[in-house]
């Protein structure tokens, strides 16, 4: 999908709805100005056509707002209905005004041209997001009356036609300038959005593994933790540490160590649910938050992770590298920081007991108050 095209469509629907009612008001003013000298039946018929075209646009705008289309082909599909209803309204203005314009009164002709030029100026301001559309609108509004003025034997009418033609040509140029400026603004806006999204991604993502980093984990983990706390649901944390990782770096090099971290990160992530949150806590240590998970359930998850890491060697240029991990598991609903700390204590116990194992410990729960 073209995001700039989508922005143009949104801008048109957001900014031009009042123009429908301004068109009707301008039509009523023109009808009142021409009423003494024009064919009144023709004026009434033209106003009815203009009201019908305006009603179609009101229905279109109302439907658009009710459906509120988002990004994608569904939004782009609203461009054609907008264009066709606008062109129909513009043709009603241009052809209709030339039709009802009194042919024997230069004053009323000048009044008609004055209103048409005002409508063209409003179109230039409202529809320049799509240049082809505004050019077509300008031509439909001004060309019929201008051609009639040039065909008139009255030299004064011809001069008025020249003036309208000059206005039309200058409007074409102005529409290009406005459209190009909008294009640049849209491009700059999208570039800034992409830069901001990229910066946010870099700030919240561990560059080596693609997992959330510690800062992001602490920010994102608070919401599910608070949810579980409010709804009396269990929540567990697992702290994972690769065994003897310093030895891998010392004997095989940091490149192999980095590959081992990436490899284990993928293995850990592959065994988690979408609702679980995993991060690289730092170095060779990972933390997993398991919302809605009891201590016993979290122990099963941790054991699966431990077994997967042990049974899936890291592929290296020097052959498979066997890696193991120690894991600490805790459950609690005190604070997120306390929960991770308790899981970290369990991890230390797993290391003391020989590594490559899972150790569990629960955060003590606050005692419930005894009713008096």
């Amino acid at each position: 999908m073209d995001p700039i095209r989508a922005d143009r469509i949104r801008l048109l629907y957001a900014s031009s709805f009042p123009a429908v009612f301004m068109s009707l008001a301008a039509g009523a003013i023109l009808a009142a100005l021409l009423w003494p000298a024009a064919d009144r039946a023709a004026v009434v018929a033209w106003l009815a056509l203009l009201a019908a075209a305006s009603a179609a646009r009101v229905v279109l705008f109302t439907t658009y707002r009710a459906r509120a289309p988002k990004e994608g082909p569904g939004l782009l599909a609203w461009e054609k209905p907008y264009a066709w209803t606008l062109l129909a309204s513009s043709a009603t203005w241009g052809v209709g005004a030339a039709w009802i314009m009194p042919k024997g009164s230069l004053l009323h002709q000048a009044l008609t041209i004055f209103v048409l030029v005002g409508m063209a100026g409003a179109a230039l301001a409202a529809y320049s997001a799509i240049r082809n559309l505004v050019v077509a609108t300008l031509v439909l509004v001004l060309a019929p009356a201008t051609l009639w003025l040039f065909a008139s034997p009255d030299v004064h009418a011809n001069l008025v036609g020249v003036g309208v033609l000059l206005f039309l040509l200058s409007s074409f140029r102005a529409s290009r300038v406005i459209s190009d400026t909008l294009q640049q603004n849209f491009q700059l806006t999208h570039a800034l959005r992409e830069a901001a999204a990229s910066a946010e991604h870099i700030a919240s993502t561990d560059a080596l593994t693609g997992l959330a980093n510690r800062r992001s984990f602490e920010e994102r983990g608070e919401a599910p933790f608070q949810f579980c706390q409010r709804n009396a649901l269990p929540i567990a944390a697992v702290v994972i540490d690769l065994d003897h990782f310093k030895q891998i770096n010392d004997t095989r090099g940091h490149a192999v160590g980095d590959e081992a971290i990436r490899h284990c990160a993928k293995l850990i992530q592959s065994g988690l649910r979408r609702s679980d949150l995993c991060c690289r806590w730092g170095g060779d240590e990972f933390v997993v938050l398991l919302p809605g998970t009891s201590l016993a359930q979290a122990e099963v998850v941790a054991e699966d992770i431990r077994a997967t890491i042990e049974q899936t060697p890291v592929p290296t240029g020097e052959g498979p590298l066997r890696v193991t991990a120690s894991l600490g598991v805790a459950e609690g609903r005190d604070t997120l920081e306390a929960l991770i700390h308790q899981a970290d204590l369990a991890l230390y116990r797993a290391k003391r007991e020989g590594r490559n194992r899972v150790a569990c410990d629960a955060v003590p729960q606050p005692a419930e108050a005894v009713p008096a």
Side-chain angles (χ1 to χ4, degrees), residues 10-357:
R10 278 192 290 263
L11 177 61
L12 286 174
Y13 275 97
S15 64
S16 59
F17 184 56
V20 178
F21 302 101
M22 292 174 62
S23 173
L24 279 174
I29 291 172
L30 179 59
L33 291 172
L34 301 185
W35 191 260
D39 181 342
R40 295 182 178 180
V43 171
V44 171
W46 174 68
L47 280 176
L49 289 173
L50 184 61
S54 299
R57 285 180 61 73
V58 168
V59 170
L60 176 66
F61 278 97
T62 303
T63 306
Y64 173 85
R65 292 186 176 184
R67 296 185 182 178
K70 304 298 182 183
E71 299 287 347
L75 175 60
L76 300 184
W78 288 88
E79 184 177 15
K80 285 186 178 179
Y82 184 98
W84 284 117
T85 56
L86 176 60
L87 294 178
S89 178
S90 302
T92 302
W93 258 102
V95 176
W99 173 42
I100 67 173
M101 182 172 60
K103 305 306 184 284
S105 172
L106 184 61
L107 172 62
H108 289 91
Q109 293 167 14
L111 290 173
T112 302
I113 294 300
F114 175 79
V115 174
L116 289 176
V117 168
M119 291 299 298
L124 181 63
Y127 311 127
S128 285
I130 300 179
R131 184 170 185 268
N132 291 340
L133 189 59
V134 75
V135 167
T137 301
L138 292 172
V139 170
L140 287 172
V141 170
L142 293 177
T146 304
L147 292 174
W148 185 92
L149 291 171
F150 277 122
S152 174
D154 188 340
V155 67
H156 296 93
N158 300 154
L159 291 174
V160 174
V162 171
V164 176
L165 181 60
L166 292 174
F167 171 81
L168 190 58
L169 294 175
S170 65
S171 295
F172 289 163
R173 184 180 182 281
S175 69
R176 179 181 295 278
V177 172
I178 296 173
S179 180
D180 289 348
T181 302
L182 285 173
Q183 175 79 8
Q184 293 171 2
N185 287 339
F186 286 139
Q187 290 174 338
L188 179 60
T189 298
H190 279 283
L192 290 174
R193 287 176 183 171
E194 291 173 2
S198 177
E200 177 61 27
H201 178 74
I202 292 172
S204 62
T205 305
D206 175 62
L208 181 62
T209 63
L211 298 176
N213 59 21
R214 181 169 179 170
R215 167 181 169 271
S216 175
F217 178 89
E218 291 173 342
E219 292 176 354
R220 293 164 55 190
E222 196 61 39
F225 185 86
Q226 293 296 334
F227 176 83
C228 291
Q229 188 178 47
R230 288 194 304 271
N231 293 276
L233 296 173
I235 186 168
V238 180
V239 179
I240 306 161
D241 188 79
L242 304 185
D243 294 330
H244 306 296
F245 185 75
K246 185 178 183 301
Q247 184 178 345
I248 295 176
N249 278 334
D250 292 342
T251 60
R252 305 291 292 271
H254 288 278
V256 172
D258 288 347
E259 185 56 40
I261 289 175
R262 280 193 294 266
H263 177 78
C264 292
K266 291 177 182 178
L267 295 178
I268 295 168
Q269 186 74 12
S270 66
L272 301 179
R273 305 166 299 181
R274 292 176 61 89
S275 59
D276 300 332
L277 181 59
C278 177
C279 86
R280 183 185 178 196
W281 196 249
D284 59 325
E285 192 170 68
F286 303 87
V287 174
V288 177
L289 187 66
L290 303 171
T293 305
S294 67
L295 183 66
Q297 293 168 329
E299 183 179 8
V300 173
V301 172
E303 179 57 33
D304 286 343
I305 293 173
R306 186 206 64 77
T308 300
I309 292 175
E310 182 183 26
Q311 296 166 13
T312 314
V314 182
T316 72
E318 301 174 4
L321 172 65
R322 182 175 178 271
V323 177
T324 62
S326 301
L327 298 90
V329 184
E331 176 194 354
R333 295 193 302 275
D334 185 5
T335 66
L336 180 59
E337 181 181 3
L339 174 59
I340 296 172
H341 176 68
Q342 194 73 14
D344 208 32
L345 294 178
L347 168 66
Y348 292 145
R349 184 157 58 84
K351 289 183 176 183
R352 289 195 303 269
E353 292 175 357
R355 301 180 186 267
N356 190 24
R357 66 188 64 235

